[in-house]
Amino acid sequence: MNIILLGPPGAGKGTQAQRLVEERGMVQLSTGDMLREARTSGTEMGNKVAAIMDAGELVTDEIVIGLIDEKIRSGNTAGFIFDGFPRTLAQADALNELLSRNGAQLDAVIQLDVDDAALVDRIVGRAKEAVAAGGEARKDDNEESLKVRLMEYYKKTAPLIGYYYARGDLKVVDGMAAPDEVAQGISAALA
Ligand code: ADP
């Protein structure tokens, strides 16, 4: 089974993806994680990616599609959870193509439905927790980048809700509930 977790920054996509990995042995493909890894490479591409991410803007379709292509080719039997991808209609089209080229298909798109005001609190909270735990907050977890990330989401990613609804793939899950309840909502949607 191959599924997409769709929702704005702070909706809980990473948390829920992690649970699906533990419970079902699925493979999480987070383009955010892949890009954070790429930026540590010190290459020219890595530095370019770092500046875009810190500003809260989207990295080019070409780069992220390339990253996903590589992972899909490696295949797996339990299925992929796409987390943070696709984020544009061009990426959604590319995903269909990459899956079908590998004899696979998309089974469901889970939209984590959340209230905008809560996102800012969640992300600022996440940054504070990271610092309190002695770590470092993500460079883009500040109010300024967050505003850009939300704007990018509404301009470029939210149209995917309509796209997947029209294809009959969309399942809406309340993302405002506690993580366990959200996980139950996802399980019910996938049953
Ligand atoms: P969040 O969903 O919390 O904003 P992610 O970890 O998914 O965070 O993404 C962090 C950043 O990585 C994004 O703001 C963007 O710059 C970049 N990014 C991640 N996935 C994509 C994608 N599919 N297309 C373009 N840029 C992406």
Side-chain angles (χ1 to χ4, degrees):
M1 184 165 55
N2 297 303
I3 67 170
I4 294 173
L5 293 180
L6 186 63
K13 301 183 296 288
T15 305
Q16 295 301 326
Q18 206 46 54
R19 298 177 78 122
L20 290 164
V21 168
E22 281 157 27
E23 287 160 19
R24 299 175 185 237
M26 295 174 78
V27 174
Q28 177 187 12
L29 296 185
S30 157
T31 41
D33 287 348
M34 291 176 207
L35 291 167
R36 275 184 285 278
E37 205 180 297
R39 64 183 286 165
T40 62
S41 65
T43 59
E44 199 182 327
M45 191 269 248
N47 296 338
K48 224 161 85 186
V49 161
I52 296 172
M53 290 177 81
D54 291 348
E57 288 160 12
L58 293 190
V59 170
T60 64
D61 288 336
E62 198 189 350
I63 291 178
V64 289
I65 291 166
L67 291 169
I68 288 285
D69 183 14
E70 213 175 289
K71 302 283 183 185
I72 290 181
R73 276 168 204 272
S74 65
N76 84 82
T77 48
F80 291 113
I81 307 151
F82 296 96
D83 160 14
F85 179 91
R87 261 175 154 94
T88 63
L89 289 165
Q91 291 178 21
D93 284 337
L95 179 60
N96 291 337
E97 168 95 26
L98 294 177
L99 286 171
S100 69
R101 213 188 283 162
N102 285 274
Q105 60 168 40
L106 192 61
D107 297 286
V109 177
I110 306 284
Q111 181 201 347
L112 292 177
D113 190 26
V114 286
D115 146 15
D116 285 347
L119 299 176
V120 182
D121 292 346
R122 278 190 184 181
I123 290 181
V124 172
R126 173 163 92 187
K128 284 190 185 142
E129 267 173 38
V131 173
E136 258 184 71
R138 265 172 52 176
K139 285 223 178 83
D140 59 348
D141 273 357
N142 59 70
E143 275 186 59
E144 205 184 324
S145 301
L146 180 59
K147 263 193 214 153
V148 180
R149 281 155 69 198
L150 274 177
M151 193 60 83
E152 290 281 73
Y153 175 78
Y154 284 106
K155 280 205 309 214
K156 299 174 184 167
T157 309
L160 297 181
I161 295 170
Y163 172 91
Y164 286 119
Y165 172 75
R167 281 178 42 132
D169 293 328
L170 195 74
K171 317 258 184 203
V172 184
V173 171
D174 175 15
M176 293 309 295
D180 281 347
E181 277 173 65
V182 179
Q184 278 172 23
I186 293 175
S187 290
L190 295 177

